[in-house]
């Protein structure tokens, strides 16, 4: 059985590895001339790492990544710590897998090398999928070059602007959230005493927030800084932004945040759009995965993790059901509620992070500070439903 995957990002490559794991041949079609990503970090939470452990990639990712010591919440201007919850070995014991921070390019490299070693998958670059047609039991995939490729199933892992989704469901109407995000990766050696702590730290403030953490064994620092504004509505991830504008957005903030902005060689910014959950992810022998199926805001750091979970669920269902249509419908059934719940939680976190008034800050952050001092483990407990989930074991027991 052969599958074609449109999209060679994290979701597409992980899906390819999962399908090969279950005995499929796979072709990945990626429109870019090379695999990779503009410099950015990714949080590989334990729910995602359980999939990579099942694929035999945990050790390789540990070598490439950074293991944070804690999750921390701080105020953006003063730096006051509201809550700190230990990760490290405690996270691994509690949730069954490590919590890692990884450079996206490093993750792509690990996935690409693993695929090459399987001998059952190919990655074709510079191949833009334009449309699909289902004839009988096969799917014909039309490329921009005019060439047609054929497979038993087609997986649309082609991101927020998915061509596969557009053909399946028509064009969508995303809603601008009023939030614009800045991204940067900076060598730690440039930051001196203002290097981020070895934690996943969220900095909260009036109408804005930032997240800092370390990558690549602690050699790099990653920044995502989100501010409410309406003068930038470009939804791409790769648009360069002006450093002076970024510094103005976070004027008066803690020097850990502002020093990262100052030292960044390039700052990227993108407008954050929201989309309601889709009712349909499949069309006979075609299925959507990751951002193509459930694009979500970055405020839970779970976008990639949901795609990784999707990849295992999809491959597992295709391996256990000879009827491909039924298998893909079952895949959507088992994934839809969880992905939609995480989408909603991501949306809600924007309000938590961006309290504008003193009353709102006291009401929201006061209990966090109190709980963090009385019961530090509460930070881990609040994440059990996300990080403790094991898609591998869940499907093995069905």
């Amino acid at each position: 059985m052969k599958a074609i995957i449109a999209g060679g990002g994290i979701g597409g490559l992980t899906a390819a590895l999962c399908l090969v794991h279950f005995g499929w041949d796979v072709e990945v079609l990626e429109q870019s001339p090379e695999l990779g990503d503009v410099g950015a970090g990714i949080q590989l939470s334990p729910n995602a790492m359980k999939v990579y452990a099942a694929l035999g990639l945990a050790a390789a990712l540990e070598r490439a990544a950074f293991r944070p010591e804690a999750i921390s919440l701080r105020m953006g201007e003063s730096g006051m710590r509201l809550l700190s919850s230990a990760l490290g070995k405690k996270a691994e014991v509690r949730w069954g897998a490590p919590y890692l921070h990884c450079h996206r390019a490093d993750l792509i490299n690990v996935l690409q090398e693993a695929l090459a070693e399987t001998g059952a998958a190919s990655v074709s670059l510079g191949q833009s999928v334009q449309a699909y047609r289902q004839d009988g039991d096969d799917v014909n995939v039309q490329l921009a070059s005019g060439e047609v490729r054929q497979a038993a199933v087609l997986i649309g892992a082609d991101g927020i602007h998915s061509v596969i989704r557009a053909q399946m469901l028509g064009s969508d109407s995303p809603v601008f959230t009023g939030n614009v995000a800045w991204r940067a990766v900076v060598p730690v050696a440039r930051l001196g005493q203002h290097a981020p702590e070895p934690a996943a730290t969220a900095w909260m403030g009036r109408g804005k927030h930032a997240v800092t953490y370390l990558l690549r064994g602690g050699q790099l620092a990653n920044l995502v800084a989100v501010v409410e504004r309406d003068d930038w509505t470009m939804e791409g991830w790769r648009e360069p932004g002006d450093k002076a504008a970024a510094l103005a957005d976070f004027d008066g903030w803690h020097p850990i945040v502002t020093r990262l902005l100052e030292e960044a060689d390039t700052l990227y910014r993108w407008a954050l759009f929201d989309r309601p959950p889709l009712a349909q992810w499949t069309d006979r022998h075609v299925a959507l995965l990751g951002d193509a199926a459930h694009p979500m805001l970055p405020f839970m750091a779970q976008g990639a993790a949901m795609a990784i979970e999707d990849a295992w669920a999809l491959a597992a269902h295709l391996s256990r059901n000879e009827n491909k249509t039924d298998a893909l419908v079952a895949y959507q059934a088992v994934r839809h509620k969880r992905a939609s719940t995480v989408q909603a939680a991501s949306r809600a976190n924007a309000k938590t992070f961006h309290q504008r008034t003193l009353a709102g800050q006291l009401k929201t952050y006061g209990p966090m500070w109190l709980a963090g001092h009385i019961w530090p483990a509460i930070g881990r407990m609040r994440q059990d439903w996300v990080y403790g989930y094991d898609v591998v074991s869940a499907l093995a027991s069905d």
Side-chain angles (χ1 to χ4, degrees):
M1 299 290 282
K2 177 185 175 182
I4 287 178
I5 298 174
I10 292 168
L13 295 179
T14 304
L17 283 165
C18 290
L19 285 163
V20 169
H21 176 84
F22 285 103
W24 283 66
D25 291 325
V26 181
E27 182 176 17
V28 178
L29 302 176
E30 167 56 41
Q31 64 179 348
S32 299
E34 59 183 3
L35 292 179
D37 202 329
V38 169
I42 183 172
Q43 298 190 47
L44 290 176
S45 50
N47 49 309
M49 285 301 298
K50 289 165 191 169
V51 173
Y52 288 138
L55 294 172
L57 300 180
L61 288 172
E62 286 251 28
R63 290 191 296 270
F66 179 82
R67 187 187 283 228
E69 297 176 4
I71 293 176
S72 185
L73 301 180
R74 301 177 67 172
M75 295 305 296
E77 295 182 0
S78 68
M80 183 181 74
R81 195 177 306 277
L82 300 172
L83 184 149
S84 183
S85 183
L87 291 177
K89 285 297 181 183
K90 288 187 177 181
E92 191 165 0
V93 170
R94 185 178 190 93
W95 297 313
Y99 195 118
L100 301 180
H101 294 157
C102 193
H103 196 294
R104 286 176 179 265
D106 295 339
L107 174 56
I108 292 287
N109 185 57
V110 169
L111 300 178
Q112 186 178 10
E113 289 183 355
L115 268 182
E117 291 174 1
T118 68
S122 64
V123 178
S124 299
L125 302 176
Q127 300 289 352
S128 179
V129 173
Q130 298 294 294
Y132 66 86
R133 186 180 72 254
Q134 303 194 62
D135 295 327
D137 208 37
D138 294 317
V139 182
N140 293 310
V141 181
Q142 178 77 46
L143 305 183
S145 64
E147 186 180 356
V148 176
R149 306 280 176 91
Q150 191 174 73
V153 297
L154 169 64
I155 309 304
D158 48 344
I160 55 175
H161 301 298
S162 171
V163 171
I164 307 302
R165 183 185 66 224
Q167 178 174 341
M168 184 186 296
L169 303 174
S171 59
D172 63 355
S173 300
V175 177
F176 179 47
T177 63
N179 290 284
V180 175
W182 295 93
R183 279 196 310 168
V185 175
V186 179
V188 167
R190 296 185 189 175
L191 302 174
Q193 63 179 331
H194 299 307
E197 60 192 339
T201 303
W203 306 79
M204 295 176 287
R206 291 168 291 180
K208 62 191 73 176
H209 81 279
V211 177
T212 58
Y213 53 87
L214 301 178
L215 307 170
R216 202 170 285 170
Q219 298 178 41
L220 300 176
N222 188 79
L223 170 71
V224 180
V226 180
V227 60
E228 295 175 6
R229 57 189 305 162
D230 58 9
D231 61 346
W232 180 269
T233 56
M234 182 72 68
E235 197 180 12
W237 282 48
R238 300 168 182 260
E239 295 296 325
D242 178 66
K243 184 178 294 188
L247 287 168
D249 282 342
F250 289 88
D251 183 42
W253 268 50
H254 194 279
I256 287 179
V257 175
T258 57
R259 183 66 180 271
L260 274 162
L261 292 172
E262 290 168 355
E263 293 295 332
D265 290 328
T266 304
L267 283 162
Y268 295 94
R269 66 175 177 174
W270 81 103
L272 300 179
F273 283 74
D274 200 10
R275 294 167 170 82
L278 299 176
Q280 178 184 344
W281 296 3
T282 69
D283 174 16
R284 290 185 59 212
H285 303 155
V286 181
L288 304 174
L289 176 148
D291 281 348
H294 45 72
M296 62 184 65
L297 299 171
F299 306 140
M300 284 281 290
Q302 282 293 300
M306 290 300 103
I308 292 162
E309 289 183 8
D310 288 349
W312 185 273
L314 183 146
H317 279 290
L318 282 172
S319 74
R320 66 173 59 176
N321 195 329
E322 292 185 2
N323 186 305
K324 294 174 290 184
T325 298
D326 289 348
L328 296 181
V329 168
Y331 149 72
Q332 175 180 327
V334 78
R335 292 297 303 155
H336 191 275
K337 181 179 179 181
R338 177 163 168 82
S340 299
T341 302
V342 175
Q343 275 182 303
S346 298
R347 189 178 303 118
N349 266 358
K351 296 179 181 179
T352 299
F353 293 157
H354 291 196
Q355 292 294 327
R356 284 185 169 274
T357 66
L358 179 59
Q361 290 182 352
L362 290 172
K363 180 180 178 180
T364 303
Y365 305 144
M368 290 183 182
W369 179 89
L370 186 62
H373 284 74
I374 296 175
W375 195 5
I378 194 171
R380 291 190 297 275
M381 293 177 64
R382 289 172 60 87
Q383 300 301 325
D384 283 348
W385 71 278
V386 183
Y387 301 158
Y389 181 72
D390 186 346
V391 67
V392 177
S393 297
L395 292 178
S397 62
D398 282 353

